[in-house]
Amino acid sequence: MKTFRDFIFEQIGRMRIVMLGGPGSGKSTYSKYLIDHFDITHIYPGGMLRKEVEKNSEIGKQVKAIIDRGEFVPNQIVLDLIKAQIEKSPKGYILDGWPRYMQQVEDMEKNDIGYDYAVFLDVSREEVLRRLLARGRADDTEEIINNRIDLYKKETGPVVEYMRKRPGFITVNSEQGTPEETANEIIKRIEDESK
Ligand code: AP5
């Protein structure tokens, strides 16, 4: 029997999703369920950048202090990492944490990096603080989390509003429910929209 994934692949040949949401909204958590379900690539600049820091590579040395402050790393570094991954993802991808500001939306359009669905995860600052302080990554101190949230509101807010007006925009409240329940809701919303 054909699965929904087979159907999508036959119809449009790929599935491309953008995950939008602030720090701790669950972008990476739900991406893991979606990449399994749709059999697509997880393109995650935050994770790639942290790996470069761990390796102490040239890129890692350039970005460590920036990530430690919760600021955005230089645009071209992120764009190069993303483009290399997209070239290796013929079945589609999830962009987890890109674009994050309007310059990156322009880069997206200039480089013909398309998407079929933009999933916006809506969650309160209180819940984000609770989740991230419990997670305890190096950039999960209260001060840095608040910096990341403020930057998100100022710079990523306009990206969300821009994408809201375009086809394929889906808002999901990720405040309540287990990760699995929220991931299943996202999958259902995408599949319903694709019918
Ligand atoms: P990145 O790693 O992407 O950090 P972030 O956007 O701040 O996101 P988080 O990883 O904190 O949150 P998330 O939304 O993925 O939530 P998660 O699933 O982990 O980026 C790090 C840094 O890299 C940036 O600060 C920047 O410096 C740089 N960078 C990245 N992209 C860039 C770009 N485009 N341009 C420039 N610089 C860039 O979930 C969080 C926690 O909540 C987890 O512990 C999870 O288990 C828990 N959780 C999730 N859902 C639930 C639930 N339903 N119930 C209970 N707990 C839950």
Side-chain angles (χ1 to χ4, degrees):
M1 200 181 74
K2 275 188 187 162
T3 62
F4 180 80
R5 192 177 63 212
D6 298 333
F7 171 76
I8 281 286
F9 205 65
E10 272 176 22
Q11 295 295 310
I12 55 175
R14 65 195 167 198
M15 171 63 82
R16 301 162 307 173
I17 301 170
V18 171
M19 295 300 269
L20 289 171
S25 57
K27 299 182 295 296
S28 302
T29 302
Y30 313 129
S31 291
K32 291 191 185 109
Y33 290 87
L34 299 182
I35 56 166
D36 282 350
H37 185 83
F38 293 113
D39 191 22
I40 54 180
T41 310
H42 188 194
I43 302 182
Y44 178 24
M48 288 189 263
L49 292 165
R50 274 192 296 279
K51 262 199 200 123
E52 296 295 328
V53 172
E54 270 167 38
K55 284 193 289 187
N56 202 24
S57 67
E58 273 316 305
I59 291 179
K61 285 179 200 157
Q62 283 180 57
V63 303
K64 183 179 182 315
I66 301 173
I67 293 179
D68 285 347
R69 290 193 300 270
E71 294 168 6
F72 294 146
V73 313
N75 198 31
Q76 194 61 41
I77 292 179
V78 182
L79 183 61
D80 290 345
L81 289 172
I82 289 197
K83 280 167 69 179
Q85 288 287 305
I86 287 178
E87 279 167 21
K88 292 188 268 175
S89 313
K91 285 178 164 181
Y93 45 78
I94 294 192
L95 291 167
D96 172 355
W98 192 88
R100 268 184 211 243
Y101 52 100
M102 285 310 286
Q103 172 65 52
Q104 293 184 341
V105 173
E106 281 171 34
D107 289 343
M108 193 177 197
E109 292 173 354
K110 257 194 245 152
N111 289 277
D112 215 11
I113 301 173
Y115 70 91
D116 305 298
Y117 296 98
V119 177
F120 169 51
L121 302 168
D122 199 9
V123 62
S124 67
R125 186 184 287 253
E126 294 69 39
E127 176 65 10
V128 165
L129 278 164
R130 194 186 65 72
R131 286 181 188 172
L132 296 189
L133 290 173
R135 179 176 69 180
R137 208 167 70 188
D139 57 349
D140 285 342
T141 67
E142 190 159 349
E143 188 191 345
I144 302 171
I145 297 167
N146 277 316
N147 280 347
R148 283 156 60 205
I149 296 174
D150 291 342
L151 194 60
Y152 160 74
K153 292 203 170 195
K154 181 165 172 267
E155 299 289 347
T156 315
V159 174
V160 174
E161 292 318 307
Y162 181 82
M163 291 194 165
R164 194 189 293 281
K165 298 188 194 102
R166 298 168 67 93
F169 187 88
I170 294 172
T171 301
V172 173
N173 183 317
S174 63
E175 184 98 14
Q176 279 132 12
T178 65
E180 191 173 7
E181 284 165 348
T182 304
N184 286 336
E185 189 193 334
I186 297 170
I187 290 168
K188 183 173 181 314
R189 295 278 301 279
I190 289 176
E191 296 191 344
D192 286 349
E193 292 264 336
S194 306
K195 280 177 187 157

